[in-house]
Amino acid sequence: MRNQNGRMALGVFDTDNFNKKSGAVLRPVVIATYANLDVSNVHWVNDDRLSYDFEDSKDDTNIIPGSVFAVNRDGSQRTQLMSKDYKYKQDATGSRIRDSVLPWDYDYYQSLHDGSDDIIVEKNTYSGRDYSVTASRLYRLNTKTRALTDVVEAGFPANIVSWVLDTDGIPALGVARDKGVTTYHRYDKAGKTWSKLAEFKTYSFSGYRPEFVDFDGKLYTSQSGKDGFAALYRFLDKSAALEEAPWMKVAGFDAAGSPMLDHKARQLLGIEYQADAYSTYWRHPTMKAMQERIDAKLTSTSNTLSCGDCLSSPVVLVTARSDKQPAVFFLYRPATDEYFQLGRQYPDIDARLMGSRDFVRFAARDGLSIPMYITKPAGQEKGPLPTVVLVHGGPYVRGSSWEWEAEAQFLASRGYLVLQPEFRGSTGYGSALFKAGWKQWGQAMQDDLADAAKWAVAQGLADNKRIAIAGASYGGYATLMGMIKHPDIYRCGFEWVGVSDINLMYDDSWSDATNNWLKYAMPEMVADQKRDAALIKEYSPLEQAHRLKQPLLMAYGEDDRRVPLSHGAKFHDAVKAHNAQVDYVVYSGEGHGWYLEKTRFDFWRKVESFLERNLKPAP
């Protein structure tokens, strides 16, 4: 909910007071509201207490965002738990700490489900050289007294950077990373001891990945099968052997997701996962039947269910999404089979004006199957249309999903067909697609994007004379390299916070790239700075800037540490010597992407004007 200043506030209302006839909600109790900050990251501690932090999405203020508070649901007993002011230090006298607010290197980790006022917090140790996390330690924190206690008595193995906790909030597994090696350490609650479970090279992406633990203490892991797609498996016992048959598998996609746990019934109910869209795999018949009833009522949306202890909860929160509709929230009462709308994520968005999104697969020039999302402008199902190839960042991540997406819909609402290829190197679609992208920057990865545009032209969707390429981060690299390598395909392009030179990824001291990534991953997945010097020269846009002749819009954040400003400044200077059709903007107070509302508005207005000038006119 928003307060009178347009800021996000936190309010709580009793679902028993929901007006069934009008669908209106009684005025909530506002328990956290700020004049110049937005409340975010809200978590229930127990039935009567919540934790939250805040951010500033509109102004570049001097207030440090991210500090964590706890408050009762009636607004009482507000307690600051952590401060994100890097200058703040706990005030201690001898062995006594006078100020028990935790400093900036502590973070909220998760809530417990034991009825206490405690949460789990994480204390990170950072490298002094690259600010990467070198060690993590977990504590229980009482949100009223701020008492801090260890979650285990046996201490922790060295170099743990992530955790898998059991359903009681005790570590079941600690994941350590050091010098390119990942080690899984298992904790025995009964014996209060740690033992090594497995070890492998971090960037080999072999072996399995631990996911979660159920109420019987069974560990669930994701691991690639013979078909190259990851499935969920359970450990049989403490010997670390996996069950032969997968517990969950999704055809054509890697299976992974978040467990749906009922702590009161102590049952694993299902898994929320992502295929072409988000869905839930229900194992419990009650929840499966409930999902079917809700889907029968909300037939045009993908519906996900949220509840505390679902099997006994009198109400369930339903989040309904579609390709044209941002999230709409409903309250569902299982006992009466009734549902009522609570609110909308973006109430001003009219779904009738939004474009339709489709998921397809096409064959790249070497025959590899490439997944892709296509957004067609509303009322313009037939082409050929001016087109934007929108490239995701990463690049070794999953790019998109079928549900409504702001950037794609912004472009579609202006009349553009939007192509979002999940090019080789993308994750979530099997190991073959992922590993085919190693050391293919500017090469086969780039060709996949060109092949996506050619496929859309062949299908009669895209106008081959009016195609732009765009993206951020790696997508920015692909934009620059695409315009250089395929000038016959792309008429213009726009990019933000984009990589312009592979050597700069290694050399810029302002970058936040970790030593482990630079030493063990970059040489294998992108390019080795010495052995692949010729390749880097050929496929770094900065080295080939003289070949880029089309109109280009570039934008960078002044404080970006992922892709420092030098990437934009150096490329702008190089391309400007040969191309007068370049617009360049630097946003102060911004990092790797647009955080402030005013920046987002300004940038996308510039994009709209840029495309209107360079892509809309007939050739």
Side-chain angles (χ1 to χ4, degrees), residues 43 93 97 118 125-126 148 259 300 403 440 448 488 550 609:
H43 306 279
T93 301
I97 297 176
D118 292 357
T125 300
Y126 296 89
L148 195 67
S300 62
E403 293 81 7
Q440 291 299 312
D448 289 345
D488 56 323
Q550 308 97 304
S609 176

Side-chain angles (χ1 to χ4, degrees), residues 36-217:
N36 297 310
L37 293 169
D38 300 285
V39 173
S40 62
N41 297 318
V42 178
H43 306 279
W44 284 99
V45 176
N46 54 46
D47 288 345
D48 293 308
R49 194 157 176 79
L50 303 94
S51 72
Y52 68 90
D53 60 23
F54 47 77
E55 60 187 7
D56 179 10
S57 63
K58 290 190 176 183
D59 302 308
D60 188 13
T61 70
N62 292 321
I63 301 175
I64 305 297
S67 297
V68 181
F69 287 77
V71 63
N72 289 344
R73 66 176 182 173
D74 63 0
S76 64
Q77 288 190 272
R78 187 184 316 277
T79 307
Q80 183 175 0
L81 305 178
M82 304 172 211
S83 171
K84 288 302 176 181
D85 185 344
Y86 299 117
K87 297 179 181 178
Y88 163 79
K89 293 182 179 180
Q90 288 179 303
D91 187 9
T93 301
S95 61
R96 294 189 61 187
I97 297 176
R98 292 206 300 256
D99 187 348
S100 55
V101 173
L102 297 176
W104 64 271
D105 52 353
Y106 283 83
D107 292 297
Y108 170 92
Y109 190 82
Q110 74 171 48
S111 294
L112 294 163
H113 300 271
D114 57 2
S116 73
D117 294 317
D118 292 357
I119 59 174
I120 300 292
V121 297
E122 177 181 32
K123 185 182 189 302
N124 289 316
T125 300
Y126 296 89
S127 164
R129 297 181 61 189
D130 58 20
Y131 299 100
S132 61
V133 175
T134 59
S136 165
R137 187 182 180 103
L138 298 180
Y139 297 89
R140 286 179 70 116
L141 174 68
N142 186 287
T143 62
K144 290 182 177 178
T145 67
R146 294 188 292 208
L148 195 67
T149 56
D150 280 314
V151 297
V152 298
E153 298 178 18
F156 299 97
N159 305 312
I160 298 288
V161 295
S162 63
W163 305 91
V164 176
L165 304 191
D166 68 13
T167 53
D168 296 319
I170 303 298
L173 211 66
V175 180
R177 291 194 180 95
D178 184 47
K179 298 178 180 178
V181 175
T182 294
T183 305
Y184 296 154
H185 296 278
R186 182 159 51 183
Y187 182 66
D188 181 353
K189 281 197 296 188
K192 300 179 181 179
T193 57
W194 291 93
S195 60
K196 185 184 295 186
L197 183 62
E199 188 173 272
F200 52 88
K201 290 184 178 179
T202 300
Y203 298 105
S204 67
F205 298 97
S206 58
Y208 57 85
R209 185 177 69 183
E211 298 287 349
F212 62 91
V213 173
D214 68 13
F215 290 98
D216 295 324

Side-chain angles (χ1 to χ4, degrees), residues 63 112 146 178 267 281 294 319 399 408 418 420 458 492 536 549 556 611:
I63 301 175
L112 294 163
R146 294 188 292 208
D178 184 47
Q267 292 190 49
Y281 170 61
I294 291 171
T319 304
V418 183
Q420 294 174 277
C492 62
I536 290 174
K549 306 295 185 183
Y556 286 81
L611 293 177

Side-chain angles (χ1 to χ4, degrees), residues 457-478:
V457 169
Q459 298 297 312
L461 300 172
D463 183 342
N464 69 338
K465 300 295 185 182
R466 292 190 292 168
I467 300 177
I469 186 169
S473 196
Y474 171 82
Y477 165 89

Side-chain angles (χ1 to χ4, degrees), residues 439 501-509 511 513 517-530 532 536 567:
K439 283 199 171 182
D501 182 44
I502 296 174
N503 275 321
L504 272 175
M505 296 171 70
Y506 277 105
D507 297 340
D508 197 315
S509 60
S511 171
W517 169 256
L518 294 175
K519 185 174 182 178
Y520 300 106
M522 277 272 291
E524 298 298 324
M525 300 177 71
V526 181
D528 184 281
Q529 195 171 23
K530 293 182 179 179
D532 300 318
I536 290 174
H567 282 264

Side-chain angles (χ1 to χ4, degrees), residues 380-409:
Q380 300 183 57
E381 296 296 317
K382 295 183 180 180
L385 297 169
T387 298
V388 177
V389 179
L390 188 59
V391 189
H392 72 71
Y396 307 113
V397 297
R398 175 165 176 158
S400 194
S401 189
W402 169 78
E403 293 81 7
W404 185 89
E405 186 176 290
E407 292 173 354
Q409 291 290 1

